[in-house]
Amino acid sequence: AAAKEFAAAILSFRRLHPPAAPPTAPKYEEQRIDEPVAILFPAPEDWTVEPGTRLIEGHGLAWLRPPDKRDPGITTEVAALLTLLIGAMVHTGPTIVAVAMGIVLLGILEFKPGLHAFAERLQERDINAILQFGLVTFIILPILPNEAFGPFNTLNPRKTWYMVVLVAGMGLAGYVGLKLVGVRYGMLLSGFLGGLVSSTATTMTFARRSRENEALSTIGTVVVMLACTMLFFRVTIEAVVVHRGMVGTLASRFAIMLLADLAVTGWLFLQAGSARSSEPPEVKNPTDLKTAVTFGFMYAGILLVLALCKEYLGKTGMYAAALVSGLTDMDAITLSSAGMAARGDITDATATNLIVVATISNTLFKASAASVLASATMKRQLWLGFGTIIGSGVLSLAIFNFGDLLA
């Protein structure tokens, strides 16, 4: 009888089903797993996956606990089964896929505690936003027509939605980064990642917090300046994705503004003192369907306005449009200008100038809006930092457009 029981343990994996009332003995239901494995990986003559699946099934039976114990999960059993499948793939090919799967599996097991902690920090609205990003990317995007229409053939639904996915993805990446690191790396990292999510939202959040706690004014200004630093990189990435050829022109314009930004930020950081270790505030998830659709219409509208201004008002009208659109959003004007440069409607230099003008406008708007919310100390420091960015931006435009000014 004991030998029969041992053989049954090796040949089948049995899962426990706790009944409604506490049982006197656990009840098992047989579930064979070797058949689907054999279907996925037909066994050659020299080997078979069946012994491996039998061992996993036996281990699973030994793992079962009485129903009054806490469910320990099945991570070990799933990992063992995946290891067997990866080994089978090494034999059948492609080997590179098997190696990649092995590395991914090892990473998941290594970072399992951190992943559990990350999942516990997610709220229901975060999950919904991630699902909506999947809807935006994998369901809506593929069904949109890839045809230009409208005045001057400037509007293309699929290309417009590509821009929506790009901006939403960058914002979501920054938000997930904040969720992953939590408060372990403090205020400075929240500034960099906050710039990916939204530099304007980061500015308003810390301005409001400085009024609640005057001691956080200086470190709050540092965080805001770091968010603006990340804005330069974010805008450059967006422009390069649309039109790689303008990266050199844009980088040269932004270099002066970035150096001025970092100089002020470094000086303020030295003044922050013990407030550097303060806990950053919660940042809202930037990704949802309503925001995506709103940005899509905004991008299409700015693209159309730029095309009309170019046709009827020339460069002056385009700069006016950049100045107005940059007040509240940098992404739409950046992607629109880079797109027009990619099609040859405007030069790379003109597209870069439009982006710099929008950056100056956006910085001025943030300084003005934050002044209403911030403490007196932070207000002075923000105008110092933002004023430096604005001044360096004007200097950059003057230096690189000196010939046009003389003409």
Side-chain angles (χ1 to χ4, degrees), residues 1-11:
K4 290 183 179 179
E5 287 296 327
F6 177 78
I10 297 298
L11 293 176

Side-chain angles (χ1 to χ4, degrees), residues 187 206-207 210 216-228 261 264-265 268-269 374-375 377-386:
M187 302 281 273
F206 281 91
S210 72
L216 298 178
S217 296
T218 302
I219 190 61
T221 306
V222 172
V223 172
V224 169
M225 295 298 291
L226 289 175
C228 292
D261 177 10
V264 176
T265 303
L268 288 171
F269 178 74
S375 65
T377 301
M378 187 174 185
K379 189 184 305 182
R380 291 193 301 269
Q381 294 171 341
L382 280 177
W383 276 108
L384 171 64
F386 286 157

